[in-house]
Amino acid sequence: MSDIRWTVVLSYEDALTELQNGAPAIRLDTKYQGSRETFEAFTKALARNHTCTHLNCCNNKIGPEGAKEIANALKENTSLTELNLWDNNIGLEGTKEIADALKENNCLTELNLW
């Protein structure tokens, strides 16, 4: 396990703010209670972010659509090295989106989908 200080956030709004403030590690604990629009804004910010290296989104029920948005962010992101998407109901479709994004991403070294 990495020796890193995690910022725990309870909403996508807070996660977006933490990304903008340069947090190196974010743990989302929203149980997908935020709006789709805010999640989209978060993933767009993640795509452009250069400071966050660790993102834990486990158990947020983002589904295949959320996985697709994270996959799109991974195609552009150049800082994220660890990503946890465990227990998000992303299914085969979401898994394929993530796998395709990894063809373009050369910085992610650890991915948890289980």
Side-chain angles (χ1 to χ4, degrees), residues 66-81:
K68 183 177 183 177
E69 291 171 30
I70 287 180
N72 288 334
L74 287 175
K75 292 175 184 177
E76 296 179 42
N77 181 278
T78 59
S79 62
L80 204 60
T81 59

Side-chain angles (χ1 to χ4, degrees), residues 39-57:
F39 184 73
E40 288 174 7
F42 168 74
T43 57
K44 286 179 182 174
L46 180 63
R48 297 182 306 271
N49 182 272
H50 300 292
T51 57
C52 186
T53 59
H54 296 69
L55 180 60
N56 185 339
C57 294

Side-chain angles (χ1 to χ4, degrees), residues 62-75 83 85 90-105 108 111 113:
I62 64 170
E65 287 184 23
K68 183 177 183 177
E69 291 171 30
I70 287 180
N72 288 334
L74 287 175
K75 292 175 184 177
L83 176 61
L85 294 175
I90 66 172
L92 198 53
E93 179 185 341
T95 302
K96 183 181 178 326
E97 292 287 345
I98 297 293
D100 288 344
L102 293 178
K103 295 174 185 173
E104 298 179 39
N105 179 295
L108 195 68
L111 174 63
L113 298 176

